[in-house]
Amino acid sequence: ETGVTQTPRHLVMGMTNKKSLKCEQHLGHNAMYWYKQSAKKPLELMFVYNFKEQTENNSVPSRFSPECPNSSHLFLHLHTLQPEDSALYLCASSQEVSGGLSNQPQHFGDGTRLSIL
Amino acid sequence: GQNIDQPTEMTATEGAIVQINCTYQTSGFNGLFWYQQHAGEAPTFLSYNVLDGLEEKGRFSSFLSRSKGYSYLLLKELQMKDSASYLCAVFDSNYQLIWGAGTKLIIKP
C-alpha cells in the first residue's frame, strides 16, 4: 500500500469513447502528478498540480484533460484517444513547498493500464 | 538536451551482488533518486543522494559523484524478490525530475 490509489487498474476503450482515470492520495501531500509510462521509455510527465493549481502541462494533446478538485484527488479525462496512447498511466503525489522548489520524493500509485482499440 | 542513461537489462544470481549504473547530463543538479518498480506495480522510492559519497540502507546502497555525473545502485545478497526494474531520476536546476528508462534486473537461482 503506497498511499496513492488509482482506479481502474485496467481500461480498454475504443477511440471514440470517453472515460476518466481517478487518483486519490491519503498522504496529506499538496502536489499531484500524471505520468505516462511506455515500454522501455522514461516516464513522461504530463501534468502537475501544486496546491490545486496546474503548474505544468508538458505539451500534452488536448484529448487528455486533467482535473484536480482538491489536494487529495486527481482525474484524467480521456476522449477520442489514439492507439499510441496505449500505456501505463501513473499518478504520484509529493509534499511540496510554496513556489515548487522541493526535493521531496514522489509516491506513486500502481497505475492504470490503458489499451486503445 | 537532458539525458539519463542506464543499462536496459541486467542478469544476476541469487545471493550475489549487482551494481546498476546511471549517468546523467542535466541542466543543473538538485539530487538523484533511485526507485524500484515490480511488474504491474507502483515505482517505490529507494534512495536519494544530493552529496557525493555512498548512502547505505540495509542490502541496498547508492553512490553519487557529481563531478562525473554518475551514480550507482548496489544490491547485495540478492533475493528473487529483487527482480524488478530500477529507475534513476535527477532533479535539474528547476527541480524538474528527469527520468531514465529503467534497468530491468533479472535474478536467477
Side-chain angles (χ1 to χ4, degrees):
Chain A
E1 179 59 50
T2 66
V4 181
T5 304
Q6 290 188 243
T7 54
R9 290 294 312 274
H10 302 273
L11 179 62
V12 179
M13 57 188 284
M15 290 192 284
T16 58
N17 292 157
K18 289 185 180 181
K19 296 285 184 183
S20 296
L21 310 185
K22 179 182 176 183
C23 176
E24 183 175 358
Q25 58 98 359
H26 309 276
L27 301 169
H29 291 163
N30 52 28
M32 297 188 76
Y33 310 78
W34 278 117
Y35 283 93
K36 177 183 180 181
Q37 187 175 35
S38 302
K40 300 184 179 181
K41 290 185 177 180
L43 288 176
E44 298 175 48
L45 180 64
M46 300 175 71
F47 302 104
V48 180
Y49 279 82
N50 199 330
F51 292 90
K52 296 190 295 177
E53 292 188 9
Q54 188 179 128
T55 58
E56 191 86 27
N57 177 339
N58 274 354
S59 303
V60 180
S62 59
R63 56 187 183 267
F64 295 92
S65 174
E67 179 189 358
C68 187
N70 55 60
S71 58
S72 298
H73 293 85
L74 186 65
F75 295 89
L76 188 63
H77 304 301
L78 316 171
H79 65 99
T80 60
L81 295 191
Q82 303 298 308
E84 62 266 27
D85 297 324
S86 296
L88 181 68
Y89 288 84
L90 290 165
C91 172
S93 71
S94 66
Q95 186 61 30
E96 298 300 320
V97 300
S98 179
L101 300 182
S102 165
N103 61 359
Q104 295 301 303
Q106 294 176 14
H107 297 256
F108 287 83
D110 286 332
T112 295
R113 173 69 61 188
L114 177 65
S115 299
I116 306 300
L117 301 179
Chain B
Q2 309 206 85
N3 191 54
I4 301 216
D5 288 314
Q6 44 181 139
T8 303
E9 188 174 298
M10 299 181 71
T11 302
T13 304
E14 191 177 14
I17 299 173
V18 71
Q19 177 175 311
I20 302 174
N21 296 326
C22 170
T23 58
Y24 61 90
Q25 300 91 36
T26 56
S27 54
F29 177 84
N30 277 304
L32 183 144
F33 293 92
W34 283 98
Y35 280 80
Q36 179 191 59
Q37 185 178 22
H38 286 100
E41 296 183 11
T44 55
F45 169 71
L46 288 178
S47 66
Y48 172 70
N49 293 69
V50 67
L51 300 176
D52 290 348
L54 188 67
E55 297 275 345
E56 296 187 74
K57 274 188 185 181
R59 294 189 299 113
F60 291 12
S61 302
S62 56
F63 171 83
L64 175 67
S65 168
R66 289 171 295 171
S67 63
K68 295 182 179 178
Y70 168 70
S71 172
Y72 67 73
L73 182 68
L74 190 71
L75 292 75
K76 303 176 185 177
E77 302 169 17
L78 286 170
Q79 302 175 9
M80 297 303 293
K81 67 178 183 180
D82 297 330
S83 292
S85 289
Y86 292 86
L87 311 180
C88 175
V90 171
F91 268 138
D92 69 7
S93 56
N94 294 320
Y95 286 90
Q96 299 288 323
L97 200 54
I98 312 301
W99 292 86
T103 298
K104 183 179 180 180
L105 178 63
I106 299 169
I107 309 297
K108 295 185 175 180

